[in-house]
Amino acid sequence: MKTRTKIFCGLSAMILTAAISANAKQGLATKVAPNDSTATKTPAKTEAAVPESSVVDEVIWVVGDEPILKSDVEAARLQAENDGHKFKGNPDCAIPEQLAVQKLFLHQAAIDSLEVSESEISQGIEEQINYWIQMVGSKEKLEEYRKQSISEMRQSMHDDYKNNRLIAMMKEKLVSDVKVSPADVRKYFKDLPADSIPMIPTMVEVEIITQNPKVKTEEVNRIKDQLREYTDRVTKGETTFATLARLYSEDPGSSRQGGELGYTGRAAFDPTFAAVAFNLTDPNKISKIVETEFGYHIIQLIDKRGDKVNVRHILLKPHISQDDIDRSKARLDSIASDIKAGKFTFEEGATFISEDKDTKNNHGLMAYTDRETRSLTSKFRMGDLPTEVAREVEGMKVGDISKPFQMTNARGKTVVAIIKLKNRVDEHRATITEDFQEMKNVVLAKEREKKLHNWVVNKIKQTYVRMDDRYKNCDFEYQGWIK
């Protein structure tokens, strides 16, 4: 299945006031009091005269030329509480320090010209939202839990996702040369007390066969007629492509940008979509209808730049009826019966029958990118499986084949699946002979963490930092903040 990337969205800057400024070199803090239409600069020595409860917002740290606001810290604290995240040490000290460290990585990412495309941001956000939906069971439950509509989530996650991705890319670049040998692993664990050796959680390997419910011809024709109507309206000058994309496109990642995908290389697109998008030459003309695994599209060229193209598109997805789903379940039930009767193996069925593009070339074996090691693995912790798959696996024995069930795949598409439990290793204390890779990952993570820690300390030495006096007695994780 497609990689999921977990996004920690708790460190966004939610500005509570319209204008905040600070004069760091003169030690002045700007404070905004409730019911006041103007911001008054007050010398630091008189700050005690302003009751803390009356301050709406203020600059509490400056890192380089980037301010950290009191509201940033409060927003991070609130989001962390909602997500069940705990900070090391005193949160009043740990949160602003963590925000400051993020600014160091983002500053270096800018220096190194690291970039995240809008299409990657949109795709990442959709994967995260689909992951959440799978975890809680439905869009409605997710909206109730997060107290936001799906649209509001996408909007609020945009900057956080972009920044977190840049930070991750910067960290990956900094530790790309860190290696550990088998001798390093043995040395690290040799003298550890038995109760300090990590526990390996229950791990499973799962194979999957999926079928995409076949959509009725009438439904496909309805979608195509709708797209032809959009093309006709734009061609006649009744409206713009961007307006129709905002109103009707079912690609949530791009619809709020008027369908615009940003400058994107051919490899990032579905091959069929790319073939049409890269052949467009006239921004005033709209493409023919394009069918991809996501649905049906029309495309409009905005610009070409080197080997990248910027286009708008409108996506419409055919409605899948319960009858469509039931027919796919019946077919998979028949396939499962043939496998159990020995007519062919599950792996052969996955290779030749499955419609899951991410697994069929690997005999149906599911895999994902581990969030901690960033490496591809087929060994899933139960919490990393899609909810519907985990629910089936829970009561299965190795070699069992499930009944057909409905699920949402990593692309947000409704599919029907059967799975086979290939392997299960129950929770146990790690051993070198059985769990060398997991133990190597522990040592590798510690070495990478050490290198990143040293990089931050050195970066602090080279960076201008000013903080409010109240933070100067904090026990920080990194040395050098107080200068």
Side-chain angles (χ1 to χ4, degrees):
M1 302 295 287
K2 188 156 180 159
T3 299
R4 293 189 183 88
T5 304
K6 184 176 181 179
I7 307 170
F8 176 63
C9 298
L11 299 175
S12 62
M14 298 182 181
I15 311 303
L16 302 183
T17 56
I20 303 290
S21 62
N23 187 327
K25 294 184 180 180
Q26 295 180 14
L28 302 179
T30 299
K31 299 198 173 186
V32 182
N35 303 319
D36 229 345
S37 60
T38 59
T40 305
K41 288 186 177 180
T42 308
K45 65 181 181 179
T46 66
E47 285 182 4
V50 180
E52 186 68 25
S53 60
S54 71
V55 177
V56 174
D57 215 348
E58 63 178 315
V59 176
I60 56 173
W61 283 41
V62 177
V63 181
D65 57 359
E66 290 288 327
I68 297 175
L69 304 177
K70 180 181 178 181
S71 60
D72 297 349
V73 176
E74 292 308 312
R77 186 197 308 276
L78 180 62
Q79 188 65 52
E81 290 174 357
N82 290 339
D83 293 344
H85 177 79
K86 295 186 181 298
F87 291 94
K88 295 179 181 178
N90 181 357
D92 290 334
C93 298
I95 295 174
E97 182 182 28
Q98 191 171 95
L99 291 170
V101 170
Q102 285 191 337
K103 291 187 182 298
L104 296 180
F105 283 117
L106 287 170
H107 179 253
Q108 190 63 45
I111 292 174
D112 290 1
S113 300
L114 300 185
E115 294 182 354
V116 185
S117 69
E118 282 299 317
S119 60
E120 182 180 351
I121 295 170
S122 296
Q123 181 179 349
I125 289 174
E126 287 312 301
E127 287 177 2
Q128 179 62 58
I129 289 176
N130 287 331
Y131 177 73
W132 284 337
I133 289 172
Q134 289 176 350
M135 292 298 103
V136 302
S138 70
K139 289 182 180 180
E140 292 73 21
K141 288 181 180 179
L142 177 62
E143 290 178 332
E144 180 182 355
Y145 174 74
R146 295 189 68 86
K147 297 179 175 60
Q148 287 180 306
S149 68
I150 297 294
S151 178
E152 289 171 335
M153 287 181 219
R154 293 187 186 106
Q155 188 170 0
S156 66
M157 291 164 65
H158 181 277
D159 291 348
D160 285 337
Y161 182 86
K162 179 179 180 179
N163 288 339
N164 281 309
R165 188 71 195 105
L166 285 170
I167 291 168
M169 291 165 65
M170 192 65 245
K171 288 181 177 180
E172 288 167 8
K173 182 176 180 179
L174 290 169
V175 300
S176 60
D177 61 343
V178 176
K179 310 290 182 187
V180 294
S181 67
D184 294 328
V185 178
R186 293 188 179 90
K187 180 180 178 182
Y188 178 83
F189 286 103
K190 179 181 177 183
D191 300 321
L192 274 183
D195 60 0
S196 296
I197 294 176
M199 292 294 295
I200 304 297
T202 297
M203 307 288 280
V204 296
E205 289 184 291
V206 181
E207 295 171 339
I208 190 167
I209 296 174
T210 70
Q211 291 285 289
N212 302 328
K214 298 299 182 287
V215 182
K216 293 183 177 68
T217 303
E218 310 89 81
E219 176 63 8
V220 173
N221 290 336
R222 183 189 69 82
I223 291 291
K224 289 183 176 180
D225 287 344
Q226 191 71 67
L227 290 173
R228 291 188 189 102
E229 180 189 333
Y230 296 158
T231 297
D232 191 48
R233 290 174 62 186
V234 174
T235 302
K236 290 179 178 178
E238 295 177 4
T239 185
T240 66
F241 193 103
T243 298
L244 293 176
R246 290 189 184 95
L247 291 172
Y248 302 114
S249 179
E250 294 182 77
D251 176 13
S254 69
S255 60
R256 65 191 180 97
Q257 280 96 34
E260 185 171 348
L261 296 175
Y263 288 94
T264 308
R266 182 181 290 268
F269 287 135
D270 175 280
T272 308
F273 187 99
V276 175
F278 277 83
N279 281 327
L280 293 174
T281 57
D282 187 349
N284 295 316
K285 292 185 178 180
I286 298 173
S287 76
K288 63 182 182 181
I289 295 172
V290 183
E291 180 184 2
T292 72
E293 62 178 313
F294 301 99
Y296 294 85
H297 317 248
I298 51 175
I299 310 169
Q300 182 183 52
L301 175 67
I302 298 175
D303 187 29
K304 288 183 178 179
R305 185 182 295 173
D307 60 353
K308 294 184 178 181
V309 66
N310 187 10
V311 296
R312 296 185 184 93
H313 81 130
I314 296 174
L315 167 68
L316 295 183
K317 301 177 182 180
H319 172 72
I320 298 173
S321 69
Q322 189 59 49
D323 286 344
D324 300 330
I325 293 171
D326 289 343
R327 281 194 293 272
S328 291
K329 283 185 176 180
R331 180 157 193 258
L332 278 180
D333 193 45
S334 176
I335 290 169
S337 296
D338 287 345
I339 293 171
K340 292 172 184 177
K343 294 183 179 180
F344 50 86
T345 66
F346 193 99
E347 293 72 22
E348 288 169 339
T351 302
F352 298 107
I353 301 173
S354 180
E355 295 179 328
D356 184 52
K357 294 181 179 180
D358 295 325
T359 62
K360 67 179 302 176
N361 292 330
N362 198 28
H363 308 299
L365 186 64
M366 296 174 64
Y368 78 115
T369 299
D370 186 276
R371 293 190 296 269
E372 296 175 2
T373 65
R374 303 294 298 173
S375 60
L376 190 67
T377 177
S378 63
K379 296 179 180 179
F380 284 81
R381 303 174 187 88
M382 293 296 287
D384 289 319
L385 284 168
T387 302
E388 303 94 336
V389 175
R391 191 181 298 124
E392 296 294 326
V393 167
E394 191 66 41
M396 294 174 66
K397 297 177 182 178
V398 174
D400 282 355
I401 297 173
S402 74
K403 293 181 179 179
F405 60 94
Q406 179 181 335
M407 66 176 288
T408 303
N409 67 14
R411 295 172 175 84
K413 190 173 184 178
T414 298
V415 300
V416 177
I418 55 174
I419 59 170
K420 175 184 174 182
L421 182 58
K422 181 181 180 182
N423 191 29
R424 181 200 298 268
V425 179
D426 292 326
E427 184 180 34
H428 62 282
R429 192 75 68 179
T431 65
I432 286 288
T433 53
E434 298 294 328
D435 308 293
F436 176 79
Q437 188 59 49
E438 286 77 9
M439 297 174 82
K440 178 182 177 181
N441 290 340
V442 170
V443 180
L444 183 62
K446 288 189 175 294
E447 290 300 312
R448 288 175 172 174
E449 184 179 345
K450 186 188 302 181
K451 179 162 185 178
L452 290 174
H453 184 98
N454 293 337
W455 181 88
V456 171
V457 171
N458 289 329
K459 186 73 172 176
I460 292 170
K461 293 177 182 178
Q462 306 164 20
T463 305
Y464 171 78
V465 178
R466 183 192 71 83
M467 67 179 67
D468 193 275
D469 288 344
R470 81 188 83 164
Y471 297 101
K472 292 185 177 178
N473 292 324
C474 283
D475 183 16
F476 292 120
E477 180 180 354
Y478 300 94
Q479 299 174 349
W481 292 117
I482 302 171
K483 300 181 180 182

